[in-house]
Amino acid sequence: MARNRLVIIGNGMAPGRVLDHLFERAPGAYDVTIFNAEPRVNYDRIMLSPVLSGEKAFEDIIIHDDAWYEQNGVTLHRGKRVTEIDRQRKTVTAADGTQAEYDKLLIATGSTPFIIPVPGHDLDGVLGYRDLDDVEKMLAAAEQGGRAVVIGGGLLGLEAAVGLKKRGMDVTVLHLAPTLMERQLDEPAGHLLQAAIERRGIEVLTKANTKEILGTERVEGVRLDNGRVIEADLVCMAAGIRPSTELAKDAGLEIGRGIVVGDDLRTSDPDIFAVGECVEHRGICYGLVAPLYEMAKVIAAQLCEDCEAEYLGSEVSTKLKVTGVDLFSAGDFQTGEGREEVVFRDAAKGIYKRLVLEGDRIVGAVFYGDTKDSAWFFQHIKDRTDVSEYRDTLIFGPAFAGSGAPDPMAAVAALPGDAEICGCNGVCKSKIEGAITGEGLTTIDEVRAHTKASASCGSCTGLVEQLLALTLGDEFDPDAVKPVCGCTDLSHDEVRRLIVAGELKSIPSVMQQLEWKTSCGCAKCRPAINYYLVCAWPGEYVDDGQSRFINERVHANIQKDGTYSVVPRMWGGMTSPSELRAIADVADKFAIPTVKVTGGQRIDLLGVQKEDLPAVWADLNAAGLVSGHAYAKGLRTVKTCVGTDWCRFGTQDSTGLGVKLERFLWGSWAPHKVKLAVSGCPRNCAEATCKDIGVVCVDSGYEIHYAGAAGMHVKGTELLCTVPTEKDAIQYIGALMQMYREQGWYLDRIYKWAAKVGTDYVRDTLDDPAERQAYYDRFVYSQQFMQDDPWAARVAGKDAHEFEPITISRELEAV
């Protein structure tokens, strides 16, 4: 009796696994013929990266060797690409005319790399990364040395980058998204991965958009849309894959994103199956091997007439095949209503773990640095296991499941006296306990001052606090330290100090090193961290616009009806007929309903439509007017009186000083808004003594006041000093501003900061010429990076996304 004829188009891992199951279940049931476009046997494609890096040879990754095909009676047509499926005659035909008849056909055409259609994409030296041919081309290029650019910071791109680096090339990875592997990892894990890749000597550029590939006949470089040119001898495109569906489409099969199959994995033709990356099942195309193997088992059963066999979809997990990088992700790890997250960080060991729970079940997991329990968690996701009984210890893995909540205080109490608490400064438990009792210490700051424990990286702060609690008992007041928010136990002062001490220069690094309890922070801590980084690292840290509030993102104040107010800057409250005409023209042109003079001597255009903002700014810029920062945590206005120019009581040029101060201070970002005023005489027409900073001109010089308020809280200013010259006044005010910037908590006005640190402390510090000069110099240095008009930048196209809501967790696409 003649056997059924099974023809397979493609010889990848998925059809190979189909045959393994088929031969095991029904040996001899089919005459099998395989058409393989590649001139070789079946091999493990996911191990191409170790081949590229030199960790394995091709022979090490072969799945089915020649003997296997012979042993199972399989006819393998190597290097023969099928070009036609005739469904009526049930035949397939290869490009060279080789033809085979089938009773059942299995399409396993896989996928093709997506080549970004930028100019130069077809130059010699631009490669995809999909099969052994691609690897061999990269190895040939790597033998010449030089520089490689990998476009795409996903799984394949990073593996290619590491492989090429190990082969001796200088490598740059270009990735369009803000973080690497954004589909598989959340922001913190992506940040840790980038740091690990960079430690291997690979340059990583995120938010990097390739504009063109340079060269005449062969690739010579890559130009980004920001104008930067990166030299390149090789460009590897690893920007995604597309299911290979052309052959199935030409045969008249139903096509979506891939070849559409049902739960029995049959296509729209019941005699034709499809498996692997070319398949679309329930709207999903899979690119990982685990789902493909699950499909293979079902197809083998169907081929054996097991009609009950069904494929119902797969949960997927991801691991990176780079030696020394341990990461794992699975499930859906987006935040949302009804979901909670459990986060564990160990800064010293570089570990980050995050579980996302919905009810009492894990729906997503991201691990970096420690993935040994990943299989246990993945099984929980797939099984939708109820974890309510060991929820408190869940993050610690199976070893703690069901063991009850850990008692951290008991663990600290059990430590021996010589146990090291602070590794940075070599401070042991007994030394801290001795200092607490011997010196009568009651706060973390006092312990730090006496022992240096937690004075460096700060990761042991929690342990030190527990020792305080153990030693002092009820006398310890844990509320003495007010944390920034529920995402951390650290105070604003601690966070600021540790950012500097640890040289932390990004939000993800702050959260990882300071062991944040949440994955991406919240709307309270994230803007604060962003400000502290801007203040600590001028010129180095790049402001995260998505960590600012709406008014600062759109450079205008939103009104109750959804329109915006626009306030151009008028230096010292001075304006001119041409500026006023420009403002009037803008008001007419854009039908702005209200034009009002503010209490800070500025003109407010109220009722501007959101879509008109860039055009309004462009017209105002054309007239020489820049943003008045009426929305900013920074200098708003400097109000002045007319001073000696016009007033018969004026003692100094208050208007001139106000203009100088505004031109000196504008653009500086502060913990909160800052309003100034300069009055020309003690009659104080500019109301300087209720401002954040005020100057009252007197016959002998200039009185400098600060810490006033005239909003919900009304408070007169404190006198800081009296100085004889304008130059002295500007130096004092610059130094005062910087002192407030460096010490104030985010969203604290100057008067609140002064109340916390003490007015005597502020006065004594700034009375010291060396201290004053140091603060002044740091302010001047910072200002060189701050005084760019945001309106002009926005008109030029920067931050066109500013109307997006504040981003706490990344939108991630499902695979």
Side-chain angles (χ1 to χ4, degrees):
M1 180 178 176
R3 294 190 297 178
N4 286 326
R5 294 161 299 184
L6 172 64
V7 173
I8 301 175
I9 304 174
N11 195 33
M13 299 170 68
R17 184 57 64 94
V18 170
L19 293 180
D20 284 339
H21 288 301
L22 181 63
F23 294 156
E24 179 181 347
R25 187 161 179 164
Y30 285 88
D31 279 330
V32 180
T33 301
I34 300 175
F35 285 83
N36 187 12
E38 290 189 57
R40 52 184 67 91
V41 296
N42 183 19
Y43 61 91
D44 189 343
R45 292 174 189 271
I46 65 174
M47 298 306 288
L48 285 174
S49 295
V51 174
L52 177 61
S53 64
E55 296 170 78
K56 289 185 180 293
F58 173 66
E59 290 72 21
D60 298 326
I61 67 170
I62 290 175
I63 297 175
H64 296 144
D65 58 14
D66 290 316
W68 181 89
Y69 292 94
E70 183 177 352
Q71 178 184 347
N72 290 287
V74 176
T75 301
L76 174 61
H77 294 300
R78 306 171 194 239
K80 294 190 177 183
R81 181 179 299 278
V82 172
T83 57
E84 182 185 7
I85 300 171
D86 187 332
R87 292 168 54 195
Q88 297 299 318
R89 297 172 55 207
K90 289 195 170 184
T91 62
V92 301
T93 305
D96 67 346
T98 303
Q99 196 172 75
E101 297 179 344
Y102 68 83
D103 297 302
K104 300 295 182 187
L105 176 64
L106 175 60
I107 300 176
T109 46
S111 62
T112 53
F114 174 62
I115 302 298
I116 304 171
V118 294
H121 70 276
D122 51 356
L123 286 169
D124 190 19
V126 179
L127 303 173
Y129 182 28
R130 199 63 195 151
D131 55 29
L132 189 64
D133 291 337
D134 297 327
V135 172
E136 290 176 344
K137 291 174 184 174
M138 282 192 271
L139 290 175
E143 287 180 359
Q144 308 303 317
R147 188 172 186 83
V149 170
V150 177
I151 300 177
L155 203 61
L156 274 181
L158 296 178
E159 291 177 3
V162 173
L164 290 168
K165 182 66 181 177
K166 287 189 173 181
R167 292 290 183 175
M169 300 192 81
D170 294 325
V171 182
T172 297
V173 174
L174 307 179
H175 192 55
L176 188 59
T179 56
L180 299 175
M181 291 182 65
E182 76 281 1
R183 292 189 178 189
Q184 291 85 21
L185 302 178
D186 59 10
E187 181 182 294
H191 162 75
L192 288 169
L193 175 60
Q194 179 173 341
I197 297 296
E198 290 172 338
R199 282 197 295 272
R200 285 162 167 76
I202 296 171
E203 181 184 30
V204 178
L205 301 178
T206 56
K207 302 180 184 177
N209 190 16
T210 302
K211 185 176 183 180
E212 62 178 321
I213 297 173
L214 306 174
T216 50
E217 296 181 356
R218 184 175 176 78
V219 61
E220 297 174 3
V222 174
R223 187 193 305 278
L224 305 181
D225 64 353
N226 63 7
R228 180 177 171 183
V229 173
I230 303 167
E231 293 182 359
D233 303 291
L234 168 70
V235 172
C236 175
M237 290 265 199
I241 58 174
R242 299 289 184 272
S244 297
T245 60
E246 292 80 8
L247 187 63
K249 183 179 180 181
D250 291 344
L253 298 176
E254 183 183 352
I255 303 297
R257 292 172 56 203
I259 303 170
V260 176
V261 297
D263 290 349
D264 57 2
L265 295 173
R266 282 180 166 84
T267 66
S268 52
D269 184 328
D271 288 326
I272 302 178
F273 294 87
V275 69
E277 294 173 338
C278 61
V279 162
E280 176 184 332
H281 174 261
R282 296 190 180 186
I284 298 176
C285 297
Y286 293 96
L288 300 173
V289 69
L292 313 189
Y293 281 173
E294 293 176 20
M295 292 180 192
K297 191 172 185 179
V298 173
I299 290 176
Q302 287 283 343
L303 288 170
C304 294
E305 305 299 332
D306 180 359
C307 298
E308 300 297 320
E310 289 184 321
Y311 175 71
L312 303 177
S314 300
E315 290 285 352
V316 296
S317 63
T318 298
K319 287 187 176 181
L320 186 68
K321 294 177 292 297
V322 171
T323 303
V325 177
D326 296 321
L327 67 82
F328 166 84
S329 77
D332 179 0
F333 46 85
Q334 294 186 56
T335 56
E337 187 175 351
R339 290 189 172 185
E340 300 175 69
E341 62 177 5
V342 181
V343 175
F344 172 81
R345 301 179 195 254
D346 186 330
K349 296 180 179 177
I351 293 173
Y352 168 77
K353 296 183 179 181
R354 176 173 172 240
L355 298 175
V356 178
L357 287 85
E358 199 168 67
D360 290 319
R361 290 171 171 79
I362 307 171
V363 296
V366 181
F367 296 163
Y368 185 94
D370 179 4
T371 60
K372 65 179 184 297
D373 296 328
S374 58
W376 185 75
F377 285 106
F378 187 42
Q379 197 62 43
H380 274 54
I381 293 173
K382 291 196 292 186
D383 296 344
R384 295 188 55 75
T385 306
D386 185 337
V387 298
S388 55
E389 291 187 4
Y390 45 94
R391 187 185 178 107
D392 291 342
T393 59
L394 180 64
I395 195 69
F396 301 107
F400 289 84
S403 62
D407 182 355
M409 297 298 287
V412 174
L415 290 173
D418 60 355
E420 186 176 77
I421 301 297
C422 176
C424 298
N425 295 296
V427 185
C428 66
K429 176 184 174 183
S430 60
K431 182 175 180 179
I432 295 172
E433 290 175 326
I436 293 171
T437 53
E439 303 293 337
L441 311 182
T442 60
T443 69
I444 188 75
D445 286 336
E446 290 174 345
V447 173
R448 184 176 297 128
H450 279 80
T451 68
K452 302 296 184 188
S454 78
S456 295
C457 79
S459 61
C460 63
T461 300
L463 279 174
V464 176
E465 285 182 340
Q466 289 167 16
L467 282 176
L468 271 165
L470 278 172
T471 309
L472 298 178
D474 294 340
E475 295 179 17
F476 176 63
D477 179 11
D479 294 330
V481 177
K482 186 177 180 182
V484 174
C485 63
C487 299
T488 179
D489 293 330
L490 298 172
S491 69
H492 286 267
D493 288 333
E494 287 279 5
V495 172
R496 301 200 70 162
R497 185 183 67 79
L498 294 171
I499 283 174
V500 176
E503 297 188 3
L504 308 179
K505 298 183 180 180
S506 70
I507 291 176
S509 65
V510 169
M511 292 183 176
Q512 176 64 21
Q513 294 303 314
L514 305 189
E515 299 184 347
W516 234 242
K517 298 177 183 177
T518 56
S519 58
C520 297
C522 67
K524 189 173 183 179
C525 63
R526 202 172 173 97
I529 295 172
N530 190 41
Y531 166 69
Y532 296 150
L533 288 166
V534 167
C535 183
W537 309 113
E540 296 184 64
Y541 175 70
V542 178
D543 174 35
D544 178 14
Q546 288 300 297
S547 293
R548 291 194 180 210
F549 294 112
I550 176 67
N551 289 346
E552 290 184 311
R553 291 205 305 279
V554 300
H555 314 302
N557 281 324
I558 191 168
Q559 305 299 305
K560 68 177 185 179
D561 63 353
T563 63
Y564 290 83
S565 76
V566 170
V567 182
R569 189 167 291 284
M570 291 179 175
W571 308 101
M574 297 292 289
T575 187
S576 65
S578 62
E579 289 183 347
L580 292 174
R581 287 191 193 95
I583 292 172
D585 288 345
V586 166
D588 285 341
K589 180 178 178 180
F590 295 95
I592 296 171
T594 301
V595 181
K596 186 181 184 306
V597 176
T598 73
Q601 299 178 337
R602 303 296 184 269
I603 293 178
D604 194 352
L605 300 166
L606 291 145
V608 182
Q609 298 297 319
K610 182 175 69 175
E611 59 271 22
D612 289 338
L613 284 172
V616 167
W617 296 335
D619 284 4
L620 293 172
N621 280 161
L625 292 160
V626 299
S627 170
H629 291 84
Y631 46 81
K633 306 287 186 290
L635 179 70
R636 297 282 181 91
T637 57
V638 178
K639 186 177 181 180
T640 64
C641 67
V642 296
T644 50
D645 282 352
W646 296 96
C647 180
R648 55 201 174 93
F649 300 109
T651 62
Q652 309 288 348
D653 179 12
S654 55
T655 305
L657 177 58
V659 171
K660 291 175 185 174
L661 284 171
E662 189 158 357
R663 290 193 178 278
F664 177 49
L665 300 172
W666 78 277
S668 171
W669 200 8
H672 210 303
K673 62 185 176 183
V674 178
K675 294 183 177 180
L676 268 74
V678 182
S679 291
C681 75
R683 288 172 176 78
N684 195 18
C685 292
E687 300 167 328
T689 52
C690 64
K691 300 296 185 185
D692 296 286
I693 300 175
V695 179
V696 177
C697 300
V698 294
D699 289 333
S700 59
Y702 306 84
E703 289 181 355
I704 299 175
H705 298 251
Y706 75 109
M712 293 180 66
H713 181 83
V714 179
K715 176 184 177 300
T717 52
E718 305 288 337
L719 178 62
L720 178 65
C721 61
T722 302
V723 295
T725 68
E726 275 193 356
K727 182 179 179 182
D728 293 331
I730 292 172
Q731 187 205 36
Y732 258 95
I733 290 171
L736 173 65
M737 189 75 168
Q738 184 65 13
M739 194 174 174
Y740 166 54
R741 294 181 71 237
E742 291 183 3
Q743 299 181 5
W745 295 3
Y746 188 66
L747 298 184
D748 269 359
R749 294 284 293 270
I750 283 186
Y751 75 89
K752 286 189 176 179
W753 161 67
K756 286 175 181 171
V757 301
T759 53
D760 289 343
Y761 167 73
V762 177
R763 187 180 301 111
D764 292 345
T765 300
L766 295 181
D767 275 349
D768 183 318
E771 293 248 41
R772 185 170 67 248
Q773 186 66 45
Y775 277 114
Y776 174 81
D777 289 344
R778 291 201 292 276
F779 183 76
V780 170
Y781 176 78
S782 173
Q783 283 297 82
Q784 65 182 304
F785 307 104
M786 305 301 292
Q787 293 191 324
D788 291 323
D789 176 29
W791 288 356
R794 174 61 185 87
V795 169
K798 182 183 179 184
D799 294 336
H801 58 279
E802 70 268 27
F803 295 111
E804 296 174 5
I806 187 168
T807 300
I808 300 303
S809 62
R810 183 178 316 289
E811 290 291 325
L812 298 168
E813 297 180 39
V815 174

